[in-house]
Structure formats: C-alpha cells, structure tokens
Amino acid sequence: MDKDQIKGAVDDAAGRAKRQVGEWTGDTKTQVEGATQQVKGKAEKAWGNLKDAARKAGNRSDRDPDASAERDKRAADREADDLDRPQHER
C-alpha cells in the first residue's frame, strides 16, 4: 500500500466528518471545507492507487524471461495434450 493511499483515505474521512458537522450546524463554510478535503483525499488515494499499480506492473516485468518462456512452453504442451485426447476424455 502506498503512503498516498493512506493519506488520501484519512483526508477523505476527515473531510466527510467536517462536511457532516457543517450540515448539522448549518455552517456552509465548514461544509465546503469538508467537501474540498474529501475531493483532495479521493485524488490522493487515486494517485496512490496509480503508483501502486505501476509498481506492481514493474515488478512483473522484472521476472526471469527464461522462466516465462518455460511456463509458456508448458502451457502449450498441456494444450497440445488436450487436443490429442479423444473428445469424451476431455
């Protein structure tokens, strides 16, 4: 989990609480500040999600290419075995 995801979730929750207090008290300024903080939190969380996804994609690309080739070969062999079997055995 990325630090921006955590910070975004905290800002979102705090903003939601502030907006709700503003609604209860009839304070429009507090409502607007809360809504603004919520938007900020959602943006931070989305940025953190994007960074996390990019990090995970980068980790997948760092895998051993020989291992990937071997895995692909085993999958192709299994598929060929399935095609060689009679229909009732599949």
Side-chain angles (χ1 to χ4, degrees), residues 17-77:
K18 186 184 276 189
R19 184 177 49 83
Q20 188 64 49
V21 167
E23 288 179 15
W24 289 336
T25 60
D27 185 357
T28 307
K29 182 181 176 191
T30 303
Q31 288 179 24
V32 171
E33 288 172 356
T36 302
Q37 190 171 2
Q38 268 188 283
V39 170
K40 177 185 172 193
K42 290 181 188 303
E44 285 171 337
K45 189 172 181 188
W47 176 246
N49 289 342
L50 182 64
K51 289 186 345 184
D52 197 36
R55 191 177 308 112
K56 286 178 183 177
N59 289 342
R60 283 194 297 266
S61 70
D62 291 341
R63 291 184 182 159
D64 181 16
D66 294 332
S68 294
E70 180 62 30
R71 189 174 48 251
D72 292 344
K73 183 181 180 320
R74 285 192 309 262
D77 289 345

Side-chain angles (χ1 to χ4, degrees), residues 2-17:
D2 189 77
K3 67 180 180 180
D4 288 317
Q5 290 172 307
I6 296 167
K7 189 171 183 317
V10 169
D11 275 341
D12 182 30
R16 191 173 319 132

